[in-house]
Amino acid sequence: MKKTSLFVAALMAMTMATSALAAKIGVVNPERILRESAAAEQAHATLQKEFSQREAALATASKVLKADVEEYQKNREKMSETQRAITERKLADQERSLQRRNREMREDLNRRRNEELQSILMRSNEIIREIAKAEKFDLIVQEAVYVNPEIDITDRVIKALAKRK
């Protein structure tokens, strides 16, 4: 009786191991999706368009500040102590304002970039789920250390993303 139950348990364990070995597995590289997909390129272009005016305005303000500093350094010896103090304070205020505007733009850009990337990842996850259901995958993994090219479905996800827009 004990031998029979031990045999049945061993047989069940082998069956479970065999079914696990027969599982259909796929792998997706999300970094490639965010780097190579048409959606990522479109997001990059959108962000470039959205922030180009602010970048240009900051570049202009930086040039103006640099010219003002050079003008101050050239005429510094001719100025009175009061004029120097006022000009230095004005230049320091300009520099702080420029730094603050630069920081705000970088923060806004990073926030918008994260929103765009999150949107792409959400759409790609929907596509991955659809592929998994349609092709009866048992497991799809993201970010593996090594991937056999035969189970990598990243290209299919990238193509499907391009069709959806």
Side-chain angles (χ1 to χ4, degrees):
M1 184 80 165
K2 266 189 171 180
K3 280 188 175 182
T4 308
S5 61
L6 190 57
F7 177 74
V8 170
L11 187 59
M12 287 175 51
M14 287 192 317
T15 304
M16 288 176 19
T18 304
S19 65
L21 290 175
K24 188 170 180 182
I25 298 173
V27 178
V28 175
N29 184 339
E31 290 177 17
R32 273 192 55 214
I33 293 170
L34 294 176
R35 193 177 56 241
E36 298 174 13
S37 69
E41 292 171 6
Q42 183 178 0
H44 178 73
T46 299
L47 291 173
Q48 187 71 29
K49 183 178 178 183
E50 188 174 322
F51 286 91
S52 63
Q53 287 182 338
R54 283 175 72 178
E55 288 175 344
L58 287 171
T60 301
S62 179
K63 287 177 186 174
V64 167
L65 176 61
K66 184 179 178 183
D68 289 349
V69 167
E70 289 172 358
E71 182 72 22
Y72 166 72
Q73 289 173 343
K74 188 167 60 172
N75 297 325
R76 179 181 169 164
E77 299 302 321
K78 300 174 190 171
M79 295 179 172
S80 69
E81 195 64 37
T82 307
Q83 286 177 320
R84 270 188 257 171
I86 291 171
T87 305
E88 287 173 0
R89 194 173 318 121
K90 176 185 162 197
L91 291 173
D93 288 345
Q94 272 183 285
E95 184 176 11
R96 273 193 304 276
S97 175
L98 181 62
Q99 288 174 348
R100 180 182 42 76
R101 289 172 53 202
N102 254 320
R103 185 182 61 247
E104 288 171 354
M105 191 206 59
R106 280 193 317 272
E107 289 171 356
D108 290 347
L109 176 61
N110 286 333
R111 182 184 48 76
R112 283 287 296 124
R113 181 182 299 123
N114 289 338
E115 288 172 0
E116 291 291 330
L117 296 179
Q118 188 64 33
S119 171
I120 294 168
L121 287 175
M122 287 174 54
R123 288 184 291 162
S124 68
N125 283 338
E126 288 175 20
I127 291 168
I128 292 167
R129 282 188 210 95
E130 290 171 8
I131 291 172
K133 288 178 185 175
E135 298 182 25
K136 297 183 178 16
F137 276 89
D138 296 309
L139 176 68
I140 296 183
V141 179
Q142 293 182 352
E143 298 185 26
V145 174
Y146 169 77
V147 178
N148 183 335
E150 293 176 10
I151 64 170
D152 188 349
I153 63 169
T154 305
D155 289 331
R156 290 168 36 201
V157 175
I158 290 172
K159 288 176 186 171
L161 259 175
K163 290 178 184 174
R164 290 232 177 135
K165 294 203 180 196

